[in-house]
Amino acid sequence: MADQSDLTTLMRLARQGNEDAYRQVLGRVSLWLRSVVRREMVAAGRSAADCEDVVQETLLAMHLKRDTWDETQPLEPWLRAIARHKLVDHLRRRGYRDHVSIDDQAECLAAATDPDADARTDSRRLLESLPDRQRRIVEEISIEGRRAAEVAVRFGMSEGAVRVALHRALKALAALYRKGQS
Amino acid sequence: MRTASLIEALVADRAARGRPLARGLVGALVAGAAVSLALFLVEFGVRADIAEAFVTWRFEVKLAMVFLALALAYSLCVSLSRPVMSGRAAWRLAPLAALAVAAVAIELAMLPAAAWVARLVGSNAVVCLTTIPILAIAPLAAVLWFLRRGAPASPALAGAAAGLLAATAGASLYAFHCFDDSPLFVVTWYVLAALPVIALGAILGRRLLRW
């Protein structure tokens, strides 16, 4: 049996339909991303206040582009390439508007441990601009933690339709990030 | 939205769905090439002397070159549609260059120097320059459309590779129509015909393949 703590092995399991493996992959990647993104943003002379937004945008890209990972290769170089692409994108989009100060750094460190910080994230704001049905489906599944089958019953839809709507919503979110409405 | 909430949404969207990029690209290419094949059969057609052509080495080498180009362009296209930048992607085309150089060398050795220019110019240069791009349009559209699912390190380069792949698909069909089989003709005019398709692919790729 292969070592299941290895990220590459976990992602292979996830690709075979193992939800828990996928949850673990995303959790561990988000931890790693958080430290890398903050370090890189500070190194680029930018405020790290919105590092969580970059983490979320990168997780979303990684999810939507998961077919581009060659399963015969280790996962990490692929992850690093996606993170770099999204970080460069983000820094370019934000231009030179934000300036780094000690206060910003303090705010970011505080934000990282603030459980109520979600109200200020880009994803929260972008979610508001999705069609009502899509937004509510995402909220039911992500924030309320309901399963797709339960959401289907609540909304009087088939489970398949819920999943299609969820997938469309995630793609729309990625497109909104790209347009720089954040 | 908190990151933990986003992760729940991603998990619900399932990691297993979707098929590997390499396999999907074959499907897109086949779909685009099918449109071009129909166009080819209606508008151009297979050359009349196809049976005799098959036993000549020049025709066989021509087919070997276009099909090798198709296979290598496909592998280049898959590689350039991934986020990990591969530094030596262009080296994938080295076997094609080697085959082309060998074919040209043999042709030059076999023909008297006086016949070189006639074989190079042939009688279908203009047809070649227009037909290959025309037969490449549908494959280019299908491949670019599919590659929007990719995550290329460089969208322009991935678009150029898509253009090359579409041009080789067009050339693979055109090779059965054209009776200029000399490697001198093929290496010159097929390459020139591919260039505008590659350029168009790069321009469109820059816009369409951003992610």
Side-chain angles (χ1 to χ4, degrees):
Chain A
M1 181 116 183
D3 176 15
Q4 298 212 350
S5 63
D6 166 40
L7 209 54
T8 304
T9 310
L10 273 174
M11 187 63 170
R12 287 198 187 114
L13 286 173
R15 294 290 280 154
Q16 287 157 22
N18 185 328
E19 286 198 356
D20 284 331
Y22 197 39
R23 193 175 281 113
Q24 271 193 61
V25 168
L26 293 170
R28 282 167 55 174
V29 168
S30 66
L31 286 179
W32 170 77
L33 275 174
R34 206 164 284 137
S35 71
V36 170
V37 167
R38 183 175 303 143
R39 194 178 59 225
E40 292 278 325
M41 288 178 89
V42 171
R46 306 298 179 86
S47 156
D50 44 7
C51 60
E52 202 61 21
D53 293 324
V54 183
V55 169
Q56 292 189 3
E57 192 189 349
T58 307
L59 281 176
L60 188 57
M62 177 197 153
H63 173 75
L64 292 174
K65 300 299 184 183
R66 60 200 185 279
D67 290 345
T68 67
W69 173 50
D70 177 354
E71 290 196 31
T72 63
Q73 300 293 313
L75 186 69
E76 287 83 355
W78 176 82
L79 269 178
R80 272 197 296 276
I82 289 191
R84 174 137 304 273
H85 183 90
K86 281 295 158 193
L87 187 65
V88 167
D89 224 34
H90 180 87
L91 292 176
R92 192 182 293 146
R93 209 162 50 215
R94 289 289 162 111
Y96 293 90
R97 276 182 287 130
D98 53 359
H99 299 279
V100 183
S101 72
I102 301 295
D103 290 344
D104 281 340
Q105 301 304 327
E107 184 192 15
C108 172
L109 289 174
T113 52
D114 178 1
D116 297 322
D118 61 306
R120 291 201 316 254
T121 55
D122 288 343
S123 55
R124 182 72 255 175
R125 222 161 20 227
L126 296 177
L127 208 51
E128 300 298 337
S129 55
L130 291 184
D132 207 41
R133 170 67 63 98
Q134 281 187 8
R135 177 182 57 75
R136 283 178 57 204
I137 286 174
V138 173
E139 284 172 354
E140 290 281 334
I141 288 174
S142 62
I143 298 167
E144 307 297 330
R146 291 204 171 83
R147 305 192 66 83
E150 298 172 59
V151 178
V153 172
R154 285 172 75 93
F155 286 19
M157 304 164 72
S158 73
E159 187 183 338
V162 168
R163 290 196 190 274
V164 168
L166 172 67
H167 188 68
R168 289 210 181 121
L170 293 175
K171 277 172 80 169
L173 267 186
L176 288 173
Y177 272 118
R178 210 159 45 235
K179 279 186 196 143
Q181 291 185 8
S182 46
Chain B
M1 183 162 48
R2 289 194 321 205
T3 301
S5 304
L6 176 68
I7 288 177
E8 284 313 309
L10 301 184
V11 169
D13 193 39
R14 290 181 173 168
R17 259 203 344 216
R19 54 198 167 153
L21 198 69
R23 218 177 309 156
L25 183 58
V26 173
L29 183 63
V30 168
V35 174
S36 288
L37 176 64
L39 182 67
F40 172 80
L41 292 176
V42 171
E43 287 293 321
F44 303 99
V46 174
R47 59 196 277 184
D49 62 342
I50 185 77
E52 295 102 88
F54 260 113
V55 292
T56 66
W57 72 270
R58 288 190 178 89
F59 183 69
E60 282 162 6
V61 168
K62 177 168 86 167
L63 290 191
M65 282 197 281
V66 291
F67 287 128
L68 179 64
L70 182 66
L72 297 178
Y74 165 79
S75 121
L76 185 68
C77 202
V78 171
S79 156
L80 289 177
S81 300
R82 298 189 198 280
V84 183
M85 182 63 105
S86 82
R88 279 170 294 186
W91 279 101
R92 283 168 191 268
L93 299 179
L96 178 64
L99 178 61
V101 167
V104 166
I106 293 170
E107 180 74 328
L108 291 180
M110 289 185 70
L111 286 179
W116 288 356
V117 173
R119 288 299 181 98
L120 172 71
V121 175
S123 37
N124 290 304
V126 176
V127 181
C128 174
L129 287 180
T130 51
T131 308
I132 288 180
I134 287 172
L135 293 175
I137 290 172
L140 181 62
V143 166
L144 278 177
W145 185 258
F146 173 77
L147 286 184
R148 284 158 24 108
R149 286 178 37 185
S154 159
L157 274 183
L164 178 65
L165 180 57
T168 59
S172 300
L173 292 171
Y174 176 72
F176 289 94
H177 171 75
C178 181
F179 53 82
D180 281 311
D181 296 334
S182 168
L184 299 180
F185 181 92
V186 174
V187 167
T188 307
W189 300 105
Y190 282 44
V191 170
L192 288 176
L195 290 178
V197 187
I198 295 170
L200 180 63
I203 292 166
L204 293 176
R206 240 181 104 103
R207 297 179 59 94
L208 297 176
L209 302 183
R210 287 185 54 227
W211 55 284

